[in-house]
Amino acid sequence: MSNINKLFNSELKVINIGLEKFYQDLKEQKVQVINVDFRPTAGGNKKMASLLSKLM
Amino acid sequence: MVAEKINKANEEAVKRMMSAQPTLVGIGTAGKDIPNMTKKTILHAGPPITWDKMSGPLRGAVIGGLIYEGLASNEEEAIALAESGEITFDSCHHHNAVGPMAGVVTYSMPVWIVENKTYGNYAYCTLNEGLGKVLRFGSYDQEVIDRLKWMENTLAPVLKSALEIAGEIDLKTMIAQVLQMGDEGHNRNKAGTSLLIRELAPYIVQTDFSNEVKAEVLKFMHSNDHFFLNLSMPAAKCSMDPLEDIKYSTIVYTMARNGTEFGIRVAGLGNRWFTAPAEKIDGLYFPGYSEKDANPDIGDSVITETYGIGGFAMASAIPIVQFVGGTPQDAINYSKSMYEITEAENDTYKIPVLDFRGTATGIDIRKVVDTGIRPIINTGIAHKDPGVGQVGAGLVRPPMKCFEDALEAFVKMLEEEGVV
């Protein structure tokens, strides 16, 4: 059995990063899951992320 | 290295905010007490704006202000005068003043005088007229002008006289108390108004005015749940002004709207405004009105949120959701989310339902841009046309562009200095 199949045949414990919908779906399916409220810096705006990085 | 400079400057900024001691010291008149006023000066809310770009409610309030001052006898004359270039329009914020909604202040208007005892600076604000058809929402009919005259000739002299007997009133302690009593100091001021009446009533009765006049004054204050707003605002204003020109600070010390644009000013960038078109308000409307009638966001009252109360303290004022919309949990979530974009937790203004956690204090433009979370503001909604008045209340946020432009200017300034 491949490693990936071993994983899916075991009890899943999931850390969801970003979109909360995936977390909600897993929760409804009684999968053990926690959600990390991650957003990219400046919502992915490269110019703003670059400006912020200059102030680090 | 640069982060250290900014963090140190921001610590100083919130230290100044939290060590401020806003104190009501008296009542004066705009012409005598507000710096650089002339008989033909009209102050307004928000960043500076010219007559041709003013929104309906601001134009309405200007028309009313000119009639009230006797500079025009009707709407047509007032418009002609406003268009003539003879009137100096300027932002309240450039004159140590703040005004709710249209924020129009003219020469003869009585003003509260609030002193920041820690730094010795002053802030001024007119007295609150009540809700509905009032000047600050752009109404200017005879009823509005008559009320303003009564406020000038009766209300203000009685309160001034009472304050002279009572002495100064500590507004900081009062604001801290009202957050424990269901107010947030912007759109819910029932507790603040009640406490103010409690402070003043024993002295109003000691003044030399007739019993009839004293009763009129007390009834007017009692009938207006927002009477305290025009004190929480200058309290916030005089607490924020000492932040101007704290080098390297990224803390916002002014947020204000004129009904056309939203503007912010940042401590490390002096008195420069960063503006963007004001947004529509998501709110609840009075019967007969809908969002089609609404003017975009307007008023200086967002100085309360800048100071860490108002929308930032909504969790203290759960019943406010019946006025501005949303659920009690929303109110709690709004207050909690503001910790993501601020420098500190207030050491005086506490929220009972959050285990007496201090309100989120000191908006950092870096955190706003980084997280994408914009400050939450609860506010009144004015009709878009002059002369109508208030049509509802709701929630709004500043445009992100204000914060992005400020961040860009801040980095540019540091680059020019060779700091980054």
Side-chain angles (χ1 to χ4, degrees), chain B residues 260-292:
Chain B
T260 304
E261 288 185 312
F262 197 112
I264 69 167
R265 297 190 295 181
V266 178
L269 292 165
N271 60 11
R272 185 171 164 191
W273 289 94
F274 297 92
T275 62
E279 304 218 349
K280 284 272 181 190
I281 298 153
D282 180 17
L284 300 178
Y285 288 85
F286 297 162
Y289 295 107
S290 72
E291 68 175 61
K292 283 184 288 183

mmCIF file of all heavy atoms in Angstrom, chain B residues 260-292:
data_model
loop_
_atom_site.group_PDB
_atom_site.id
_atom_site.type_symbol
_atom_site.label_atom_id
_atom_site.label_comp_id
_atom_site.label_asym_id
_atom_site.label_seq_id
_atom_site.Cartn_x
_atom_site.Cartn_y
_atom_site.Cartn_z
ATOM 1 N N THR B 260 -18.212 63.268 1.017
ATOM 2 C CA THR B 260 -17.707 62.980 -0.330
ATOM 3 C C THR B 260 -16.464 62.106 -0.224
ATOM 4 O O THR B 260 -16.333 61.110 -0.923
ATOM 5 C CB THR B 260 -17.350 64.302 -1.061
ATOM 6 O OG1 THR B 260 -18.514 65.141 -1.065
ATOM 7 C CG2 THR B 260 -16.901 64.040 -2.487
ATOM 8 N N GLU B 261 -15.575 62.483 0.690
ATOM 9 C CA GLU B 261 -14.341 61.726 0.889
ATOM 10 C C GLU B 261 -14.142 61.325 2.343
ATOM 11 O O GLU B 261 -14.593 62.036 3.255
ATOM 12 C CB GLU B 261 -13.128 62.583 0.487
ATOM 13 C CG GLU B 261 -12.990 62.797 -0.997
ATOM 14 C CD GLU B 261 -11.714 63.554 -1.316
ATOM 15 O OE1 GLU B 261 -11.461 64.582 -0.666
ATOM 16 O OE2 GLU B 261 -10.968 63.110 -2.200
ATOM 17 N N PHE B 262 -13.463 60.218 2.522
ATOM 18 C CA PHE B 262 -12.982 59.786 3.842
ATOM 19 C C PHE B 262 -11.506 60.184 3.908
ATOM 20 O O PHE B 262 -10.773 60.010 2.931
ATOM 21 C CB PHE B 262 -13.098 58.265 3.961
ATOM 22 C CG PHE B 262 -13.016 57.748 5.378
ATOM 23 C CD1 PHE B 262 -14.125 57.175 5.970
ATOM 24 C CD2 PHE B 262 -11.847 57.852 6.123
ATOM 25 C CE1 PHE B 262 -14.059 56.693 7.282
ATOM 26 C CE2 PHE B 262 -11.780 57.380 7.434
ATOM 27 C CZ PHE B 262 -12.897 56.790 8.006
ATOM 28 N N GLY B 263 -11.054 60.710 5.029
ATOM 29 C CA GLY B 263 -9.648 61.078 5.159
ATOM 30 C C GLY B 263 -9.050 60.574 6.452
ATOM 31 O O GLY B 263 -9.741 60.485 7.469
ATOM 32 N N ILE B 264 -7.764 60.211 6.387
ATOM 33 C CA ILE B 264 -7.044 59.872 7.622
ATOM 34 C C ILE B 264 -5.756 60.701 7.698
ATOM 35 O O ILE B 264 -5.254 61.169 6.672
ATOM 36 C CB ILE B 264 -6.696 58.352 7.725
ATOM 37 C CG1 ILE B 264 -5.630 57.942 6.697
ATOM 38 C CG2 ILE B 264 -7.945 57.497 7.565
ATOM 39 C CD1 ILE B 264 -5.024 56.563 6.954
ATOM 40 N N ARG B 265 -5.267 60.880 8.916
ATOM 41 C CA ARG B 265 -3.941 61.480 9.117
ATOM 42 C C ARG B 265 -3.160 60.553 10.060
ATOM 43 O O ARG B 265 -3.742 59.947 10.966
ATOM 44 C CB ARG B 265 -4.050 62.894 9.712
ATOM 45 C CG ARG B 265 -4.777 63.854 8.779
ATOM 46 C CD ARG B 265 -4.673 65.303 9.238
ATOM 47 N NE ARG B 265 -5.353 65.523 10.516
ATOM 48 C CZ ARG B 265 -5.417 66.707 11.116
ATOM 49 N NH1 ARG B 265 -4.840 67.772 10.578
ATOM 50 N NH2 ARG B 265 -6.056 66.843 12.270
ATOM 51 N N VAL B 266 -1.860 60.470 9.819
ATOM 52 C CA VAL B 266 -1.008 59.523 10.534
ATOM 53 C C VAL B 266 0.038 60.294 11.336
ATOM 54 O O VAL B 266 0.608 61.275 10.826
ATOM 55 C CB VAL B 266 -0.326 58.563 9.519
ATOM 56 C CG1 VAL B 266 0.611 57.598 10.223
ATOM 57 C CG2 VAL B 266 -1.389 57.814 8.716
ATOM 58 N N ALA B 267 0.285 59.847 12.575
ATOM 59 C CA ALA B 267 1.158 60.601 13.484
ATOM 60 C C ALA B 267 2.512 60.940 12.862
ATOM 61 O O ALA B 267 2.985 62.065 12.971
ATOM 62 C CB ALA B 267 1.349 59.809 14.781
ATOM 63 N N GLY B 268 3.123 59.983 12.166
ATOM 64 C CA GLY B 268 4.461 60.215 11.603
ATOM 65 C C GLY B 268 4.460 60.994 10.304
ATOM 66 O O GLY B 268 5.523 61.273 9.746
ATOM 67 N N LEU B 269 3.268 61.343 9.829
ATOM 68 C CA LEU B 269 3.182 62.066 8.547
ATOM 69 C C LEU B 269 2.537 63.442 8.708
ATOM 70 O O LEU B 269 2.027 64.023 7.739
ATOM 71 C CB LEU B 269 2.395 61.221 7.528
ATOM 72 C CG LEU B 269 3.109 59.936 7.060
ATOM 73 C CD1 LEU B 269 2.138 58.990 6.362
ATOM 74 C CD2 LEU B 269 4.274 60.272 6.131
ATOM 75 N N GLY B 270 2.546 63.951 9.951
ATOM 76 C CA GLY B 270 2.072 65.318 10.210
ATOM 77 C C GLY B 270 0.615 65.523 9.881
ATOM 78 O O GLY B 270 -0.216 64.664 10.163
ATOM 79 N N ASN B 271 0.305 66.684 9.274
ATOM 80 C CA ASN B 271 -1.111 67.003 9.056
ATOM 81 C C ASN B 271 -1.579 66.687 7.631
ATOM 82 O O ASN B 271 -2.583 67.204 7.185
ATOM 83 C CB ASN B 271 -1.398 68.468 9.412
ATOM 84 C CG ASN B 271 -0.564 69.421 8.568
ATOM 85 O OD1 ASN B 271 0.064 68.996 7.597
ATOM 86 N ND2 ASN B 271 -0.554 70.685 8.935
ATOM 87 N N ARG B 272 -0.861 65.845 6.946
ATOM 88 C CA ARG B 272 -1.230 65.471 5.577
ATOM 89 C C ARG B 272 -2.418 64.505 5.593
ATOM 90 O O ARG B 272 -2.444 63.543 6.361
ATOM 91 C CB ARG B 272 -0.013 64.800 4.933
ATOM 92 C CG ARG B 272 -0.209 64.468 3.496
ATOM 93 C CD ARG B 272 1.125 64.008 2.907
ATOM 94 N NE ARG B 272 0.884 63.335 1.653
ATOM 95 C CZ ARG B 272 1.786 62.645 0.996
ATOM 96 N NH1 ARG B 272 3.010 62.535 1.485
ATOM 97 N NH2 ARG B 272 1.492 62.064 -0.141
ATOM 98 N N TRP B 273 -3.412 64.802 4.734
ATOM 99 C CA TRP B 273 -4.595 63.928 4.641
ATOM 100 C C TRP B 273 -4.391 62.873 3.558
ATOM 101 O O TRP B 273 -3.825 63.174 2.498
ATOM 102 C CB TRP B 273 -5.831 64.745 4.265
ATOM 103 C CG TRP B 273 -6.339 65.646 5.341
ATOM 104 C CD1 TRP B 273 -6.031 66.958 5.518
ATOM 105 C CD2 TRP B 273 -7.276 65.322 6.393
ATOM 106 N NE1 TRP B 273 -6.705 67.475 6.600
ATOM 107 C CE2 TRP B 273 -7.467 66.491 7.147
ATOM 108 C CE3 TRP B 273 -7.956 64.155 6.753
ATOM 109 C CZ2 TRP B 273 -8.327 66.534 8.253
ATOM 110 C CZ3 TRP B 273 -8.806 64.192 7.852
ATOM 111 C CH2 TRP B 273 -8.983 65.367 8.592
ATOM 112 N N PHE B 274 -4.879 61.685 3.807
ATOM 113 C CA PHE B 274 -4.920 60.630 2.791
ATOM 114 C C PHE B 274 -6.399 60.297 2.581
ATOM 115 O O PHE B 274 -7.065 59.832 3.507
ATOM 116 C CB PHE B 274 -4.110 59.411 3.252
ATOM 117 C CG PHE B 274 -2.661 59.753 3.408
ATOM 118 C CD1 PHE B 274 -2.173 60.184 4.634
ATOM 119 C CD2 PHE B 274 -1.800 59.719 2.325
ATOM 120 C CE1 PHE B 274 -0.845 60.562 4.781
ATOM 121 C CE2 PHE B 274 -0.471 60.090 2.455
ATOM 122 C CZ PHE B 274 0.009 60.511 3.680
ATOM 123 N N THR B 275 -6.885 60.591 1.401
ATOM 124 C CA THR B 275 -8.334 60.532 1.176
ATOM 125 C C THR B 275 -8.709 59.542 0.071
ATOM 126 O O THR B 275 -7.887 59.197 -0.780
ATOM 127 C CB THR B 275 -8.884 61.922 0.777
ATOM 128 O OG1 THR B 275 -8.257 62.314 -0.448
ATOM 129 C CG2 THR B 275 -8.608 62.962 1.840
ATOM 130 N N ALA B 276 -9.961 59.149 0.110
ATOM 131 C CA ALA B 276 -10.548 58.297 -0.935
ATOM 132 C C ALA B 276 -12.060 58.499 -0.854
ATOM 133 O O ALA B 276 -12.570 58.973 0.181
ATOM 134 C CB ALA B 276 -10.188 56.835 -0.687
ATOM 135 N N PRO B 277 -12.790 58.170 -1.914
ATOM 136 C CA PRO B 277 -14.245 58.374 -1.874
ATOM 137 C C PRO B 277 -14.890 57.677 -0.674
ATOM 138 O O PRO B 277 -14.579 56.519 -0.374
ATOM 139 C CB PRO B 277 -14.712 57.746 -3.193
ATOM 140 C CG PRO B 277 -13.531 57.877 -4.103
ATOM 141 C CD PRO B 277 -12.324 57.681 -3.222
ATOM 142 N N ALA B 278 -15.780 58.402 0.023
ATOM 143 C CA ALA B 278 -16.481 57.849 1.185
ATOM 144 C C ALA B 278 -17.382 56.700 0.736
ATOM 145 O O ALA B 278 -17.925 56.718 -0.368
ATOM 146 C CB ALA B 278 -17.309 58.939 1.864
ATOM 147 N N GLU B 279 -17.539 55.704 1.623
ATOM 148 C CA GLU B 279 -18.295 54.505 1.250
ATOM 149 C C GLU B 279 -19.759 54.599 1.664
ATOM 150 O O GLU B 279 -20.132 55.396 2.521
ATOM 151 C CB GLU B 279 -17.635 53.285 1.909
ATOM 152 C CG GLU B 279 -16.170 53.182 1.523
ATOM 153 C CD GLU B 279 -15.707 51.755 1.307
ATOM 154 O OE1 GLU B 279 -16.441 50.821 1.656
ATOM 155 O OE2 GLU B 279 -14.596 51.592 0.766
ATOM 156 N N LYS B 280 -20.556 53.742 1.047
ATOM 157 C CA LYS B 280 -21.972 53.622 1.431
ATOM 158 C C LYS B 280 -22.046 52.898 2.773
ATOM 159 O O LYS B 280 -21.213 52.035 3.071
ATOM 160 C CB LYS B 280 -22.723 52.809 0.383
ATOM 161 C CG LYS B 280 -23.027 53.590 -0.885
ATOM 162 C CD LYS B 280 -24.355 54.320 -0.753
ATOM 163 C CE LYS B 280 -24.677 55.089 -2.031
ATOM 164 N NZ LYS B 280 -25.826 55.995 -1.832
ATOM 165 N N ILE B 281 -23.073 53.213 3.537
ATOM 166 C CA ILE B 281 -23.226 52.627 4.871
ATOM 167 C C ILE B 281 -24.193 51.450 4.810
ATOM 168 O O ILE B 281 -25.246 51.534 4.170
ATOM 169 C CB ILE B 281 -23.745 53.701 5.855
ATOM 170 C CG1 ILE B 281 -22.710 54.827 5.956
ATOM 171 C CG2 ILE B 281 -24.037 53.096 7.218
ATOM 172 C CD1 ILE B 281 -23.311 56.154 6.328
ATOM 173 N N ASP B 282 -23.815 50.358 5.472
ATOM 174 C CA ASP B 282 -24.696 49.189 5.560
ATOM 175 C C ASP B 282 -25.535 49.373 6.819
ATOM 176 O O ASP B 282 -25.006 49.289 7.927
ATOM 177 C CB ASP B 282 -23.808 47.939 5.660
ATOM 178 C CG ASP B 282 -24.640 46.674 5.744
ATOM 179 O OD1 ASP B 282 -25.838 46.729 5.411
ATOM 180 O OD2 ASP B 282 -24.086 45.637 6.151
ATOM 181 N N GLY B 283 -26.820 49.677 6.665
ATOM 182 C CA GLY B 283 -27.551 50.044 7.872
ATOM 183 C C GLY B 283 -29.027 49.721 7.887
ATOM 184 O O GLY B 283 -29.563 49.052 7.010
ATOM 185 N N LEU B 284 -29.667 50.224 8.938
ATOM 186 C CA LEU B 284 -31.118 50.119 9.095
ATOM 187 C C LEU B 284 -31.704 51.502 8.821
ATOM 188 O O LEU B 284 -31.147 52.514 9.251
ATOM 189 C CB LEU B 284 -31.468 49.690 10.529
ATOM 190 C CG LEU B 284 -30.922 48.342 10.996
ATOM 191 C CD1 LEU B 284 -31.311 48.089 12.460
ATOM 192 C CD2 LEU B 284 -31.436 47.203 10.117
ATOM 193 N N TYR B 285 -32.836 51.512 8.109
ATOM 194 C CA TYR B 285 -33.419 52.781 7.684
ATOM 195 C C TYR B 285 -34.715 53.078 8.416
ATOM 196 O O TYR B 285 -35.460 52.161 8.785
ATOM 197 C CB TYR B 285 -33.649 52.769 6.163
ATOM 198 C CG TYR B 285 -32.332 52.850 5.432
ATOM 199 C CD1 TYR B 285 -31.593 51.701 5.181
ATOM 200 C CD2 TYR B 285 -31.801 54.076 5.053
ATOM 201 C CE1 TYR B 285 -30.352 51.772 4.562
ATOM 202 C CE2 TYR B 285 -30.568 54.160 4.429
ATOM 203 C CZ TYR B 285 -29.850 53.001 4.179
ATOM 204 O OH TYR B 285 -28.629 53.086 3.580
ATOM 205 N N PHE B 286 -34.975 54.354 8.625
ATOM 206 C CA PHE B 286 -36.234 54.776 9.216
ATOM 207 C C PHE B 286 -37.352 54.454 8.219
ATOM 208 O O PHE B 286 -37.104 54.382 7.006
ATOM 209 C CB PHE B 286 -36.218 56.284 9.499
ATOM 210 C CG PHE B 286 -35.177 56.723 10.498
ATOM 211 C CD1 PHE B 286 -34.786 58.059 10.576
ATOM 212 C CD2 PHE B 286 -34.581 55.820 11.378
ATOM 213 C CE1 PHE B 286 -33.825 58.479 11.494
ATOM 214 C CE2 PHE B 286 -33.625 56.232 12.293
ATOM 215 C CZ PHE B 286 -33.246 57.561 12.345
ATOM 216 N N PRO B 287 -38.599 54.265 8.718
ATOM 217 C CA PRO B 287 -39.710 53.937 7.807
ATOM 218 C C PRO B 287 -39.815 54.940 6.652
ATOM 219 O O PRO B 287 -39.700 56.145 6.859
ATOM 220 C CB PRO B 287 -40.936 54.023 8.720
ATOM 221 C CG PRO B 287 -40.413 53.776 10.090
ATOM 222 C CD PRO B 287 -39.036 54.342 10.118
ATOM 223 N N GLY B 288 -39.982 54.411 5.448
ATOM 224 C CA GLY B 288 -40.134 55.284 4.283
ATOM 225 C C GLY B 288 -38.836 55.577 3.550
ATOM 226 O O GLY B 288 -38.846 56.210 2.496
ATOM 227 N N TYR B 289 -37.693 55.140 4.121
ATOM 228 C CA TYR B 289 -36.400 55.409 3.474
ATOM 229 C C TYR B 289 -35.667 54.095 3.189
ATOM 230 O O TYR B 289 -35.895 53.085 3.844
ATOM 231 C CB TYR B 289 -35.520 56.296 4.362
ATOM 232 C CG TYR B 289 -36.080 57.681 4.581
ATOM 233 C CD1 TYR B 289 -36.635 58.035 5.807
ATOM 234 C CD2 TYR B 289 -36.065 58.626 3.557
ATOM 235 C CE1 TYR B 289 -37.167 59.305 6.011
ATOM 236 C CE2 TYR B 289 -36.588 59.897 3.759
ATOM 237 C CZ TYR B 289 -37.135 60.231 4.983
ATOM 238 O OH TYR B 289 -37.649 61.479 5.186
ATOM 239 N N SER B 290 -34.770 54.144 2.194
ATOM 240 C CA SER B 290 -33.959 52.974 1.879
ATOM 241 C C SER B 290 -32.563 53.448 1.475
ATOM 242 O O SER B 290 -32.289 54.659 1.463
ATOM 243 C CB SER B 290 -34.572 52.192 0.719
ATOM 244 O OG SER B 290 -34.393 52.927 -0.488
ATOM 245 N N GLU B 291 -31.703 52.487 1.129
ATOM 246 C CA GLU B 291 -30.317 52.873 0.809
ATOM 247 C C GLU B 291 -30.237 53.772 -0.421
ATOM 248 O O GLU B 291 -29.227 54.460 -0.614
ATOM 249 C CB GLU B 291 -29.429 51.643 0.680
ATOM 250 C CG GLU B 291 -29.717 50.748 -0.493
ATOM 251 C CD GLU B 291 -28.682 49.621 -0.588
ATOM 252 O OE1 GLU B 291 -28.594 48.846 0.365
ATOM 253 O OE2 GLU B 291 -27.979 49.551 -1.609
ATOM 254 N N LYS B 292 -31.292 53.795 -1.228
ATOM 255 C CA LYS B 292 -31.301 54.704 -2.390
ATOM 256 C C LYS B 292 -31.277 56.168 -1.942
ATOM 257 O O LYS B 292 -30.868 57.057 -2.683
ATOM 258 C CB LYS B 292 -32.564 54.477 -3.237
ATOM 259 C CG LYS B 292 -32.496 53.234 -4.111
ATOM 260 C CD LYS B 292 -33.727 53.133 -4.974
ATOM 261 C CE LYS B 292 -34.930 52.756 -4.125
ATOM 262 N NZ LYS B 292 -36.171 52.558 -4.810
#
